Amino acid sequence: MDAQNPVSSLSSQVVLTHKGLEGEVNGTPLGPLIDLANAVTGVDVILGDHTDVGYTGVHNGVLVVEANSRGTNYARTSLTVGPTPCPIHPSCFCF
């Protein structure tokens, strides 16, 4: 981190996708959205929306959020980003 400009080295990778959940087995969510989270590296947050499911969870160290479809509601996620290796901290999930 640059001592004169501490913000210069902060970054976050957020992915927006049209993938969603397809169900769950024993309480574990399944579907393309979770598959994507489990396959990526260097991503902090994935925002998806394809199925009519509201979901928030962490998979493979990635925050995964899906809002209900068809405009029935939305998901608002607030993030706090700190210096590396400080992880992303979700501070609010509103459905």
Side-chain angles (χ1 to χ4, degrees), residues 22-58:
E22 291 182 343
E24 63 178 53
V25 173
N26 299 324
T28 301
L30 302 171
L33 184 61
I34 304 304
D35 295 343
L36 176 62
N38 288 330
V40 297
T41 58
V43 172
D44 300 301
V45 181
I46 298 175
L47 303 173
D49 186 12
H50 182 73
T51 55
D52 195 21
V53 175
Y55 176 77
T56 300
V58 177

Side-chain angles (χ1 to χ4, degrees), residues 10-25:
L10 298 180
S11 68
S12 178
Q13 299 296 317
V14 178
V15 173
L16 180 62
T17 183
H18 188 234
K19 295 182 183 292
L21 302 178
E22 291 182 343
E24 63 178 53
V25 173

Side-chain angles (χ1 to χ4, degrees), residues 6-14 42 44 80-84 86-88:
V7 178
S8 67
S9 64
L10 298 180
S11 68
S12 178
Q13 299 296 317
V14 178
D44 300 301
T80 302
V81 180
T84 302
C86 181
I88 298 293

